[in-house]
Amino acid sequence: MRGVKSVMCAAALALLPMPTLAQQGPAEMVRMGEAMAEMLAPEQQARLPLAQALAEKVLPAGSLNSAMGGMFAGFLPQVAADAAPDPRNVVSRRLGIYSGSTELSDQQARRIADLLDPQWAERERRERALTGQLMGRMMDTVEPLIRQALAELYAIHFDAAQLADIDGFFATPSGAAYARQSYLMASDPRMTGTMMAVLPQAFQQVGAMEAETAAATADLPPQRNLADLSSNQRKALAQMLGIAVEDLEYALPDAAP
């Protein structure tokens, strides 16, 4: 089941914006969302019913479930229900080795999988079937929450006249078709394939950004490590963190004690 959990976590993370994930844990994000919902101004609260009606059209019931199914088929073919069981998945999962980086032949991968789990193929089929069911359940759970968040954003960013205009479009056959297809298009193989194709270029940009950042801060003194702090500074830091001085080396794992 570890593979199922990994896939479900990856799919759930895909629904969330990366800057938020980097700064907040799941519980903190829920509390933040609840607090922000309470912060709507009176005029925004007044627009909320219009915004909720619009959100129902923009994100029709079942949209996330259908989009996730498309992602499995296009972006994550190894967990698609109709994909053939792959012994390399067993090698990766059980041995912690990415099989694509090894020289294993298909026959060798199958022999290893058979050795580690004679029922690996049937196990993988059942886990895939269960993954689809669990993902559908997850999407059905989170979809109303996302729809409510959309409604609150609409109430904040659009006035009543704008909401009425936008709602009018989604009430048309063309608008309804767009709403049904928008999330499905996001998981279309054309889109997911393009995203995979541009990853090398994106990584190149990340490398260039790191180099430029290093150059922009080259004249600044280096950041302090634990060894650079005086005894009094260590005590003050530990007190502010609410930990013992002896535990600072764990709080700053990259710093020399």
Side-chain angles (χ1 to χ4, degrees):
M1 288 296 294
R2 183 170 59 182
V4 173
K5 292 179 181 178
S6 298
V7 170
M8 291 185 65
C9 288
L13 293 177
L15 296 173
L16 301 172
M18 289 300 105
T20 301
L21 287 173
Q23 300 168 12
Q24 304 288 341
E28 287 76 10
M29 284 190 287
V30 170
R31 286 193 291 269
M32 181 176 65
E34 292 173 346
M36 293 182 71
E38 296 174 356
M39 292 170 58
L40 291 178
E43 65 273 13
Q44 295 168 348
Q45 287 282 2
R47 293 197 294 266
L48 194 55
L50 284 174
Q52 289 171 329
L54 175 58
E56 291 283 349
K57 295 182 175 70
V58 174
L59 183 61
S63 296
L64 293 186
N65 200 333
S66 298
M68 195 56 62
M71 187 186 82
F72 277 178
F75 190 61
L76 297 173
Q78 70 272 21
V79 296
D82 57 351
D86 188 349
R88 294 178 182 274
N89 292 337
V90 179
V91 176
S92 299
R93 184 168 62 247
R94 295 295 307 280
L95 300 180
I97 301 172
Y98 174 52
S99 57
S101 65
T102 70
E103 299 297 328
L104 289 177
S105 66
D106 292 344
Q107 183 179 13
Q108 289 172 322
R110 184 173 294 277
R111 288 179 60 189
I112 293 173
D114 289 339
L115 177 65
L116 296 176
D117 182 5
Q119 296 297 321
W120 66 269
E122 179 61 22
R123 193 181 312 279
E124 188 167 308
R125 290 190 188 93
R126 294 185 186 184
E127 287 188 354
R128 278 188 196 152
L130 182 60
T131 299
Q133 296 173 19
L134 296 180
M135 282 306 308
R137 218 179 301 162
M138 179 191 294
M139 294 302 103
D140 289 342
T141 299
V142 304
E143 187 176 85
L145 304 177
I146 295 176
R147 190 179 294 112
Q148 178 62 24
L150 281 176
E152 291 167 6
L153 288 171
Y154 294 157
I156 292 170
H157 293 284
F158 303 113
D159 61 30
Q162 291 170 327
L163 287 172
D165 288 342
I166 299 170
D167 186 81
F169 166 68
F170 283 107
T172 66
S174 296
Y178 173 82
R180 287 194 302 271
Q181 295 298 326
S182 58
Y183 284 89
L184 294 176
M185 289 189 295
S187 61
D188 187 278
R190 291 177 180 81
M191 182 62 71
T192 54
T194 299
M195 295 301 295
M196 293 299 292
V198 302
L199 280 179
Q201 300 177 38
F203 288 145
Q204 288 178 2
Q205 292 297 319
V206 170
M209 291 169 61
E210 290 177 349
E212 291 180 20
T213 301
T217 59
D219 61 323
L220 299 178
Q223 300 181 66
R224 291 174 177 172
N225 290 328
L226 193 58
D228 300 319
L229 302 181
S230 68
S231 176
N232 288 337
Q233 288 173 325
R234 294 187 188 194
K235 290 178 182 178
L237 177 59
Q239 185 176 7
M240 288 185 285
L241 294 175
I243 62 176
V245 174
E246 294 77 13
D247 293 332
L248 282 177
E249 60 182 292
Y250 302 107
L252 299 172
D254 295 330

